[in-house]
Amino acid sequence: MMQVCLRQGVRRALRHSSVCALQNVRHNSTVPAPLLDDERGAPVFSHVEALADQLCSLSLLETGQLNKILKEKLGIGEITMGAAPVAATAAPVAEAEPEPVVETKTMFDIKLGSVDQSMKIKLIKALKLVKPEMNLVAAKKLVESAPCILMEKIPLAEAEAIKDKLTEAGAEVLLE
């Protein structure tokens, strides 16, 4: 009965993270006084601290044995790591240069370059078709502010179609 009350008191103290509540439970029990972990504010018990000290004092051979035992008990399989490079003892063999990886772009920015002033009205109408959310005033300001970015991150097929429409309307269009 006493242990049940003690456990409930410890749980309540940990749940509320109240150091005062934890001290009250500690005075009524035989549980060793926990240290406080500075980072989280969670208590660190002395037996955990002692276990950490014991693990730090293990030799390399003992650490390997502990590793093997824990893997067996916990059912952890062997983890293969990438092989470390082996030092060459013979003369180095000339390796063929790897072919440069050509990165293919899939998304493009459409940049409106120079504009033929005689085709300005036709270009504004073409812009309205390409960007239906744009009103006439915004399209006119965009044409007058050329060179500028018209659209960003557009797939290649769509970007080519837009480029063709705007080039036909009298604009120089660049895909970047």
Side-chain angles (χ1 to χ4, degrees):
M1 180 73 172
M2 181 70 155
Q3 288 180 336
V4 172
C5 292
L6 177 64
R7 286 182 187 147
Q8 290 174 349
V10 170
R11 284 189 198 132
R12 191 176 310 121
L14 291 176
R15 195 175 316 125
H16 296 294
S17 345
S18 170
V19 176
C20 294
L22 188 59
Q23 288 174 346
N24 289 338
V25 171
R26 234 186 299 133
H27 291 298
N28 299 329
S29 68
T30 59
V31 176
L35 302 172
L36 287 180
D37 183 3
D38 291 337
E39 293 177 11
R40 296 185 196 136
V44 177
F45 291 99
S46 60
H47 69 279
V48 174
E49 189 77 26
L51 180 62
D53 291 338
Q54 288 176 348
L55 288 174
C56 290
S57 66
L58 291 178
S59 69
L60 189 58
L61 177 63
E62 293 168 331
T63 305
Q65 291 172 347
L66 175 65
N67 186 20
K68 182 180 177 185
I69 291 170
L70 288 175
K71 282 183 179 178
E72 288 173 5
K73 287 190 177 197
L74 297 175
I76 300 172
E78 288 296 320
I79 300 172
T80 57
M81 301 297 277
V86 180
T89 56
V93 178
E95 294 182 17
E97 281 190 32
E99 294 182 27
V101 178
V102 178
E103 191 175 306
T104 57
K105 283 182 77 174
T106 57
M107 304 300 268
F108 292 88
D109 293 344
I110 302 173
K111 184 175 182 181
L112 184 61
S114 62
V115 176
D116 183 6
Q117 293 301 320
S118 64
M119 304 284 280
K120 191 174 175 181
I121 294 174
K122 189 174 180 183
L123 180 59
I124 292 171
K125 289 180 182 178
L127 270 174
K128 284 277 299 153
L129 291 174
V130 170
K131 292 183 78 172
E133 71 276 0
M134 186 180 285
N135 62 26
L136 283 173
V137 175
K140 181 178 183 261
K141 285 182 181 179
L142 189 68
V143 169
E144 290 173 348
S145 66
C148 60
I149 300 282
L150 178 63
M151 299 172 119
E152 294 181 338
K153 296 182 182 174
I154 306 295
L156 179 62
E158 188 178 338
E160 287 290 336
I162 293 171
K163 179 182 177 183
D164 292 340
K165 288 178 186 175
L166 296 178
T167 304
E168 188 178 302
E172 179 186 327
V173 181
L174 304 169
L175 298 180
E176 296 179 342

